[in-house]
Amino acid sequence: MGKSVSHVQEVLSYIKTNKIQFIDFKFMDFPGQWQHFTVPSSELSADSFDDGFGFDGSSIRGWKSIHESDMLLIPDPETMFFDPFTEASTLSLICDVYEPATKEKYDRCPRNIAQKAEAYLKSTGMADTAYFGPEAEFFVFDDVRFDSGPNFSFYSVDSIEGKWNSGREENPNLGYKPRFKEGYFPVPPTDQLMDLRNEMVQNLINIGIEVEAQHHEVASGGQCEIDMKFKPLLRAADQLLMFKYVVKNTAKKRGKTVTYMPKPIFGDNGSGMHVHTSLWLKEKPLFAGGGYAGLSEMALYFIGGILKHAPSLLSFTNPITNSYKRLVPGFEAPVNLAYSQRNRSASVRIPMYSNSPKSKRIEFRCPDPAANPYLAFSAIMMAGIDGVMNRIDPGEPLEKDIYDMSPEELKDVPSTPESLGHALKSLAEDHEYLIKGNVFTEDVIRAWINYKVEKEIKPMALRPHPFEFEMYFDV
């Protein structure tokens, strides 16, 4: 498998020096959730990084059928981190998934797709590194209840910060509930999550993640953001999963819960995941130039590729039915496919905080944190590369506030898909850019569409919605 001997020895030495009791193997399922299993540290040896550990692939969503279930996990020694949440001392390793018969990487392993994307970029000669910096927003709740059955369906979320609790008896209620759309950036005591976010940041730093900032977000009800420093594609995806793991478990230790579902609250802002990206070659940035907003020709073509392929791209960057409850006008979510400097209502923004060529990047604002980052980052890069290769003109920038424009002014500005179903239909029709270099495969595209339709869209479509009773019960 070609694992670095020095990295393997570093892992084994760390285990011995720190008297690690358990090794936790983490890997990514198809839809985008971390899975794991654990072995005593005595089970891990240098050979483990070549031989791997077997598991049942038929029990993982979107993968094998029961008659071909055996799979192999091989840990990546460069991904180790000490787990701060387990009672017994535990070292975590992120793994790649292999076919045991051939020792080939499994095509539907999302981490494999990200590795192939990085290799494809280098093979083009245009760049050797794609940097990604995701800003994953989330809600911190104090209580979450939901259930559904043949004759009922409901959900209820609650937060000490929720404006809806301004009249609740809390013995005492001290007020300080951020008004809807006014949660950005009040100081404590209105911001009641400062200490929790600081603890999250410290836990992230302790496992090796560089954090740039933390703050309260726009929505009432505990919306937050913690920003990590940009990293190469694969490492950025690994870190986003580490980030989610740390944030959720830090909240749980304090008796709170975190969700990355994009739109858990009606009538207020949803959670996005703005993705900053740039291409580099031989440690030199390629997106800085003399064009619009200080961009190079390559960067503008990269934007052109994203805008052209956005309807299909969103099936990976906004991959759940709830994603499209956020992508509606009026809540800062970018539903119009355009680009602009500084204008946050455009789906692609060029941040203007610094004139340094190294900081020149584009910000794709459509994605949300429900995305599988290996698939989403790879798809974004592939769309951008297609734009560069085919010199796709992104058109004129949009400098006006999109939400103040008239329908006549907006008629020529394309919009994001209205639903996951529309995005998947676009993916079925437009995925040639994804299968270049065998990064995504036809099997992966078909499996993704089938899984989303059969496991998410159809079950959702079959169920009466609670609000339908309010609108239609008396017909």
Side-chain angles (χ1 to χ4, degrees), residues 12-32:
L12 298 177
S13 176
Y14 184 93
I15 292 168
K16 184 177 181 181
T17 301
N18 294 279
K19 298 179 179 178
I20 299 297
Q21 296 169 276
F22 292 96
I23 310 298
D24 197 54
F25 299 120
K26 293 180 169 67
F27 65 101
M28 193 55 145
D29 71 5
F30 201 42

Side-chain angles (χ1 to χ4, degrees), residues 56 219 236 240 424 440:
D56 178 7
L240 183 58
L424 293 171
F440 290 76

Side-chain angles (χ1 to χ4, degrees), residues 226-279:
I226 298 173
D227 297 332
M228 299 174 287
K229 188 174 178 63
F230 64 89
K231 295 292 178 184
L233 190 157
L234 179 66
R235 182 60 182 166
D238 285 342
Q239 282 198 167
L240 183 58
L241 299 175
M242 295 164 68
F243 168 81
K244 283 186 169 185
Y245 181 75
V246 166
V247 168
K248 287 180 178 181
N249 280 284
T250 304
K252 185 174 181 293
K253 285 186 71 175
R254 285 191 171 225
K256 295 180 182 290
T257 189
V258 162
T259 183
Y260 289 92
M261 191 171 81
K263 190 74 171 179
I265 294 177
F266 168 68
D268 210 340
N269 284 40
S271 292
M273 184 176 71
H274 306 151
V275 177
H276 297 251
T277 185
S278 61
L279 297 182

